[in-house]
Structure formats: C-alpha cells, structure tokens
Amino acid sequence: MTQKSDLLYELAWLSRPLHQEIEAAVSAMLAETTVTVRMRSVLEQLSKLGPSTVPQIAKALDIKRQYVQIMMNEVEAVGMVERSENPAHKRSTLFHLSESGAAIIRQIRDAEGKIIESFGRNLTLDEVERAHHVMEHLLTSFRTLNQRLKT
Amino acid sequence: MTQKSDLLYELAWLSRPLHQEIEAAVSAMLAETTVTVRMRSVLEQLSKLGPSTVPQIAKALDIKRQYVQIMMNEVEAVGMVERSENPAHKRSTLFHLSESGAAIIRQIRDAEGKIIESFGRNLTLDEVERAHHVMEHLLTSFRTLNQRLKT
DNA sequence: AAATTATTGACAATCAACTTGTCATAAATC
DNA sequence: GATTTATGACAAGTTGATTGTCAATAATTT
C-alpha cells in the first residue's frame, strides 16, 4: 500500500465523521425553528432545482420517492410549499416554494453560509477548488464502483 | 457569499453522498462474507487502536457505548475477538482481535485498499495531501462549532 | 477505612431515516 | 386500444443509532 493510497483511504473515511458533525450542526441550528432537518432538505432542493415533482427530488437526493413524499407532505402541511399549475397536469404534481418557504430557506442558508465562510478564512480558493475536485473524483469513482457491484 | 465560501459549502455537503456511496460499497463487498458493516467497524477499530474496552471504541467512533456493546457482543459471539487478561481487572474488559478476527479484517482492508488504489491513479500525492488537509480542517471546525452549540 | 461518585455491562424502549411492498389510478408508449 | 410505466397513498419492516434505568464494581474524596 502506497502512502498516497493510505491517505486517500483515510480521506474517504473522513466523510463519515464529517457528515455526522454537519448533521449535528444543522440540527442544532434548526433547533429553535419549526423546521426539521428533513424539511430543510426538501426546501433546499426546491430552491436549488426550482419547481419539481416528488420523484425528481427523490432522484436528486438519491433516496426513495416514498420517503420524499412524506417529507413533502410535511412542508406542504405547514404552507412552505405549494402546488404549481401543472401544464396539462402532464404527469405528476409540481411543487414550488411558497413565499414563506422561500424566506425560510434563504434565512437558513444565509446563517449556514456565514459559518462556512468563517471556516474558510484559513483556506485559499485554490485549495478549496482542488479539494473539491478530489472529493468529486472520489464520489464518482464510488458511484461507478457501486454501479458495477449492483449487477 | 464569495465563490470560495460557496464552493466550500458544496464541498462540505459532498460528505453526505460520499458517505452514502462508501457505505453502500462496503456493504456490497461484505455481502458474501459473514461480517456485517457494524462488525467490520469494531474489527477495524481494534486493529487500529489495539486491545480496547467498549467505552474506548465508543469514543473513537463517537457513538454511545451501549451500541458498541451490541456490536462487540456480536463479534465476540462468532469468535472474532477475545477478552484480554486485564491487568488487575483494572476497570473494564479489554478486548483484542482473535486470530481469525485479525485475518478477516486484514483481508477486508486489503480488498478495500486495492479499490482505493485504483481510484487514486488519476490523483497526485500532493493533491491527496492537500485535500486531506482541507477536509481535516473542515472536520475540526465543525467539531468546535458543535462544542459551542451544545452548551 | 468509609462514604461518595463515576464507570461499566446488561437490558429495554424509543427514534430517525430510511427501504420494501402493495394497490389503485392516471398517464405515456407501443 | 392495449400494455407498460409512473405517481400518490398507505403499511410494515430495517438499520443505526439514542435515552433511560439498574446493579455491580471501581475510583476518588474525606
């Protein structure tokens, strides 16, 4: 095992504690709001993708549509999303952020952004870009591997 | 929001799908063995830390001792770990890898290492080192943040 | 040495974030 | 027009944990 491979192995596994800590941080920051982590994640997708159907968001999050449906029902119930007039009711319901939903996710995103910004003070843009590239490479490598392993 | 912060935000969130894909890959590779993902993780810690108690491993994995106890009971039940003669039974049971446990985790680690090695072909050692540094920085930043948020 | 406090193992209940399976209906494709 | 696919709704099960509690033992304080 080369030094490079060993370090890459370690790097890959950093994703576990990192993900753990990020979830904890997000959850702590949401604690005083009425938004849960899973509601936040739907709102985030809608703000990123624009008006979308449940199956589309499921694909983006790589989880089952049935679970996204639950999440979507929750945010709809509190009026954070609304159904769009769907051109000819083509296939399924299009959802979009309501005014309140848009405001809420913007606010959450801003608060999170400030924190991330402070984390970036010690890093250069170049460093972040290269790290991003390496992590993307790892991600697509694992995706390809899993594609192969599934069959 | 600067470009750097935006990219760093994205980078942080890459940990989610990455962790997801890694778990899936590990799980798929273990599918033909008698080892489960959580058993693998105990064996890995024991091989990394040497003989350890349940609470020590819980700390290393940052999960509760009660859950690690379950994991440890499982690997003990199939003879992959054994209890060490504990100097004066000082506080709690020390566990160490049995011969079979050591062989199994070595074999798993080797197979995984080969795959990671192939993923690293397109990357330089320098790139991996820098990425590792950035991700470590992110991780400690989030840990510190969570420490503050918890109080 | 005695009293107090902390740690461990064991067990039970609960939770969050999912997946899997099924059904009816509506839409898209052949 | 017939067949296949997609969607929404609902139910049950799984995994990876957490929280709470208890008794026994070990460590610390007085």
Side-chain angles (χ1 to χ4, degrees):
Chain A
M1 199 52 51
T2 66
Q3 192 193 343
K4 187 174 79 180
S5 296
D6 268 343
L7 203 57
L8 191 57
Y9 189 93
E10 253 194 58
L11 177 59
W13 276 110
L14 275 184
S15 69
R16 188 192 187 274
L18 187 54
H19 178 232
Q20 222 174 210
E21 297 290 336
I22 291 177
E23 289 275 314
V26 166
S27 174
M29 292 184 61
L30 291 176
E32 290 156 19
T33 73
T34 61
V35 182
T36 63
V37 176
R38 70 200 202 188
M39 286 163 78
R40 175 197 169 286
S41 133
V42 178
L43 300 179
E44 187 181 34
Q45 291 305 310
L46 282 176
S47 99
K48 191 189 279 183
L49 308 174
S52 316
T53 65
V54 165
Q56 280 166 355
I57 292 178
K59 205 166 187 186
L61 291 175
D62 200 21
I63 56 182
K64 301 289 158 172
R65 69 192 170 80
Q66 284 92 332
Y67 187 51
V68 175
Q69 192 84 45
I70 291 170
M71 301 157 93
M72 186 65 85
N73 292 346
E74 279 177 8
V75 284
E76 194 189 12
V78 294
M80 293 181 185
V81 306
E82 289 159 357
R83 286 149 193 266
S84 297
E85 265 321 304
N86 201 336
H89 186 261
K90 205 178 172 185
R91 37 170 60 209
S92 77
T93 326
L94 262 186
F95 291 92
H96 66 272
L97 292 172
S98 69
E99 239 177 85
S100 82
I104 285 168
I105 189 62
R106 202 179 314 121
Q107 194 181 316
I108 290 172
R109 195 28 248 245
D110 278 4
E112 292 174 353
K114 272 187 189 135
I115 285 173
I116 276 287
E117 192 158 21
S118 79
F119 290 177
R121 294 222 208 293
N122 301 324
L123 303 171
T124 67
L125 172 59
D126 188 64
E127 270 180 316
V128 177
E129 272 171 350
R130 286 167 187 276
H132 193 277
H133 167 252
V134 171
M135 298 315 276
E136 284 275 22
H137 175 66
L138 261 185
L139 178 55
T140 58
S141 300
F142 273 106
R143 278 206 224 275
T144 307
L145 172 66
N146 284 329
Q147 216 63 17
R148 271 203 296 119
L149 289 177
K150 224 187 305 181
T151 52
Chain B
M1 202 48 55
T2 66
Q3 192 193 343
K4 187 174 78 180
S5 295
D6 268 342
L7 203 57
L8 192 57
Y9 190 92
E10 253 194 59
L11 178 58
W13 277 109
L14 274 184
S15 69
R16 187 190 189 274
L18 187 53
H19 177 232
Q20 222 173 212
E21 296 290 335
I22 291 177
E23 289 275 313
V26 167
S27 172
M29 290 182 62
L30 291 176
E32 290 156 20
T33 74
T34 61
V35 181
T36 64
V37 175
R38 69 200 203 188
M39 287 163 79
R40 175 196 169 286
S41 132
V42 178
L43 300 180
E44 188 182 32
Q45 292 304 310
L46 284 177
S47 99
K48 191 189 281 184
L49 308 174
S52 317
T53 65
V54 164
Q56 280 167 354
I57 292 179
K59 204 167 187 187
L61 292 174
D62 199 21
I63 58 183
K64 301 288 157 170
R65 71 192 169 81
Q66 286 90 334
Y67 187 48
V68 175
Q69 192 84 45
I70 291 170
M71 300 157 91
M72 187 65 84
N73 293 344
E74 279 177 9
V75 284
E76 194 189 12
V78 296
M80 293 181 186
V81 305
E82 288 158 357
R83 286 150 192 266
S84 295
E85 263 323 303
N86 201 338
H89 186 261
K90 203 178 171 186
R91 37 170 61 209
S92 77
T93 325
L94 262 187
F95 291 93
H96 65 272
L97 292 172
S98 69
E99 240 179 84
S100 82
I104 284 168
I105 189 60
R106 202 180 312 122
Q107 194 181 317
I108 290 173
R109 193 29 246 245
D110 278 3
E112 292 174 352
K114 271 187 190 138
I115 284 174
I116 276 289
E117 191 157 22
S118 79
F119 290 177
R121 294 224 207 291
N122 300 323
L123 304 170
T124 66
L125 172 60
D126 187 63
E127 270 179 315
V128 177
E129 273 171 348
R130 285 167 186 276
H132 192 275
H133 167 251
V134 171
M135 298 315 274
E136 284 273 24
H137 175 65
L138 262 185
L139 179 55
T140 59
S141 301
F142 273 106
R143 278 206 225 273
T144 307
L145 172 66
N146 284 329
Q147 216 63 18
R148 272 202 297 119
L149 289 177
K150 225 186 301 178
T151 52

